[in-house]
Amino acid sequence: MDPVSIVISRQATGPTPPTAANAGAPNALRTRVSEVVAQMGPPPWSKRIIADERQLVTLIASAPGGGNRPHWHREFDEWWVVLAGRLQWELTGGVVVHAAKDDIVWVPRGAVHHILNVGTEMSLRLAVAMPPANHYFSPCEQCGYTDDGPREWCA
Ligand SMILES: [Zn+2]
């Protein structure tokens, strides 16, 4: 398999005021999670918070019983910070990770991750992925979830 390269086209040449920041998402100097939640309304939704050549950070809300489409990544490890609710990660190989507010979950490349809100409240997780963030669908080997959606996509 060919190695994957990234290109960093914009480089700072010295100390620089943060003029690259946006007034709002993505890449605001400060994001208040409570304001995003109020703007986005009831789940499910996702909001890109930070995006550059090396990171894609997304705030994701799920309703009880909701979650993602199970998938795996070829060239990056993904991790999340749980900000609210109770979530479960079903992973390749029979591993289940339970997480709640303030927990950090890390999943290495290749492991299918099927994320479910197993609580009774809206869940919030901050997902940290790396561009180009290609997603490869794979049915959940644990719960059998599958669907007819796209087999590959880029987030
Ligand atoms: Zn993923």
Side-chain angles (χ1 to χ4, degrees), residues 68-73 78-80 88-98 104-116 138-144:
N68 75 339
R69 298 180 66 226
H71 64 269
W72 57 281
H73 303 289
E78 187 169 13
W79 57 279
W80 301 261
Q88 165 187 288
W89 274 252
E90 292 174 311
L91 305 177
T92 303
V95 177
V96 177
V97 177
H98 291 276
I104 297 167
V105 176
W106 177 85
V107 171
R109 65 203 73 177
V112 173
H113 38 290
H114 186 208
I115 307 168
L116 289 168
S138 185
C140 181
E141 69 176 27
Q142 297 198 35
C143 72

Side-chain angles (χ1 to χ4, degrees), residues 45-132:
W45 52 259
S46 66
K47 179 77 171 177
R48 180 62 41 82
I49 304 298
I50 296 165
D52 67 20
E53 300 92 334
R54 283 187 278 199
Q55 55 192 339
L56 290 171
V57 181
T58 310
L59 187 63
I60 303 169
S62 298
N68 75 339
R69 298 180 66 226
H71 64 269
W72 57 281
H73 303 289
R74 198 178 292 280
E75 78 288 346
F76 70 93
D77 308 330
E78 187 169 13
W79 57 279
W80 301 261
V81 181
V82 178
L83 301 176
R86 291 179 45 234
L87 289 159
Q88 165 187 288
W89 274 252
E90 292 174 311
L91 305 177
T92 303
V95 177
V96 177
V97 177
H98 291 276
K101 178 175 164 52
D102 298 335
D103 288 339
I104 297 167
V105 176
W106 177 85
V107 171
R109 65 203 73 177
V112 173
H113 38 290
H114 186 208
I115 307 168
L116 289 168
N117 178 346
V118 294
T120 56
E121 311 280 322
M122 179 180 86
S123 67
L124 267 183
R125 62 190 187 275
L126 192 68
V128 183
M130 290 81 200

